[in-house]
Amino acid sequence: MLGLGLTAVIQEANLRGQLQVTRQIVDVETRLLNILRRQFTAGQAAEADVRQQEAALAQAEQTVPPLEKQLAQQRNQLSALLGRLPADEPGEEFRLPD
């Protein structure tokens, strides 16, 4: 049982790390899009560049919900391993540096 719990904690930490990095990527892609839009307005960038960046942002944004769902499922698994209901999840959040 301890091995399963440890594996679940490591998996949660991994998912939290992936989610954090993915959100940072979305933030960077958003900033890049804003810069390109300003450049396009000023005549310094092509519309195709703006559209390409919009697509890159949309692709990055689409990866967030599945990671959030996996993290929620992992939290439910941790609750089950602790003998709790999913709504009574552990108060601790596990991250890779921990």
Side-chain angles (χ1 to χ4, degrees), residues 8-84:
V9 166
I10 292 170
Q11 182 64 22
E12 177 185 342
N14 182 41
L15 287 166
R16 283 194 190 284
Q18 288 180 43
L19 193 53
Q20 179 182 4
V21 169
T22 302
R23 287 180 174 148
Q24 290 171 344
I25 290 169
V26 168
D27 184 51
V28 169
E29 297 287 359
T30 300
R31 285 188 266 146
L32 287 172
L33 179 57
N34 290 335
I35 291 168
L36 274 173
R37 284 180 174 159
R38 285 194 301 271
Q39 289 177 339
F40 175 72
T41 301
Q44 298 174 343
E47 184 177 1
D49 294 333
V50 174
R51 299 292 172 236
Q52 184 177 5
Q53 186 57 36
E54 288 172 339
L57 173 58
Q59 185 177 13
E61 288 173 330
Q62 290 174 352
T63 62
V64 173
L67 286 171
E68 290 174 333
K69 183 177 181 178
Q70 287 178 319
L71 180 57
Q73 290 171 334
Q74 194 63 36
R75 296 292 289 172
N76 287 345
Q77 182 181 4
L78 275 171
S79 294
L81 288 171
L82 293 170
R84 301 177 183 174

